[in-house]
Structure formats: C-alpha cells, structure tokens
Amino acid sequence: MNITEITDPETEQSDDFSCLKIDSCELDSDTAELIANWLIAKYRSKIIYSCIDDVFGDMDGDERDAVYDSVCDIITGRYSLEHLNYIKGKISDFFERNNEMNIDGFVNFRLKAYRAELKTLVEECGYDMFAYKDYRDFIDVMNFLFDITDFKD
C-alpha cells in the first residue's frame, strides 16, 4: 500500500478539501496507525476547542486552556490507545471500499463517536473546573467571615 497523494488547502491555493489518496484499497495496519496518529495530531486540539466553545461559549482564554489541558491529561492517561485503535479501525474500514478520502469529511462524519467522547470529556472537565472554582470562592468567603467575626466567650 502506498499513499500516493495528500493535498492540504492550507498549503495550496485551491478550493478543494484535504484529500488522502492511496494506490489500492489494501491498507496495512502500520499505515492505518500512521494515518490515525496524523489525524489525531492534526484534529484533536481543533475538536476539543470547538467542543469547549459549543459547551462553554463564554469562557475566557485561561479557562479554555485549563479545560483543554485537563481533557488532554485524561486522554493521555486513559484513552489514547483506545482512541488510536478506534480511529485506526475506521480508517481501515474506509479504505476497504475506497482509495480516496476527504479528510475533513472523514473526521466530521466517520468519527462522530470520537467527537462525542471528546465533548463528554470537555463537559466533565469544564464542570469540574467550575465546581472547584466555586469551592475556592466559598472557602474564601468562609475565611473572610471567620476573620471579621468577633467571637466572644
């Protein structure tokens, strides 16, 4: 199996979508893994930030980055191999019937479960961050009240 062409509209002046072409419909496991790793590297951060904007549209930049970092930590610790195998399987299934892939379309339509899982992680991490922030605010108020309250015996 040889990859014959990868086009990227970011580097070429065209209206075409990103496209991956192979010379046959046979895809070995190592090549599928290489493509899966490339897709993860290229799209994961875009998907996560898109999910953050969808769920928590009014977050400032530092909060967005904190949620992003938290999601990435969880993925690295728990889900990286699972995500890689899922995407690798989808790629292998796709190239069993096709030899040309619209990369953006593949990510948007064939990886819906991956996108949904990332959105769930974003929600969990974002709500955890807000809960911790509320907890810290509550502790600060309690400390303030304790400091200004005159306790008499």
Side-chain angles (χ1 to χ4, degrees), residues 67-82:
V67 172
Y68 174 81
D69 291 342
S70 183
V71 169
C72 288
D73 289 345
I74 291 172
I75 290 170
T76 301
R78 268 190 258 167
Y79 297 109
S80 69
L81 186 59
E82 181 182 319

Side-chain angles (χ1 to χ4, degrees), residues 83-112:
H83 287 174
L84 178 67
N85 288 333
Y86 171 78
I87 294 170
K88 182 178 160 183
K90 289 290 189 176
I91 290 168
S92 295
D93 291 346
F94 181 85
F95 281 115
E96 283 180 5
R97 297 178 222 27
N98 302 287
N99 66 347
E100 185 174 319
M101 174 194 291
N102 174 315
I103 298 169
D104 291 332
F106 180 83
V107 170
N108 288 327
F109 298 107
R110 303 264 178 156
L111 299 181
K112 285 185 179 184

Side-chain angles (χ1 to χ4, degrees), residues 125-144:
C125 292
Y127 292 130
D128 285 350
M129 184 190 68
F130 286 132
Y132 181 74
K133 193 174 173 183
D134 288 344
Y135 168 76
R136 292 300 315 153
D137 289 344
F138 176 74
I139 295 297
D140 289 345
V141 168
M142 295 303 293
N143 285 333
F144 175 75

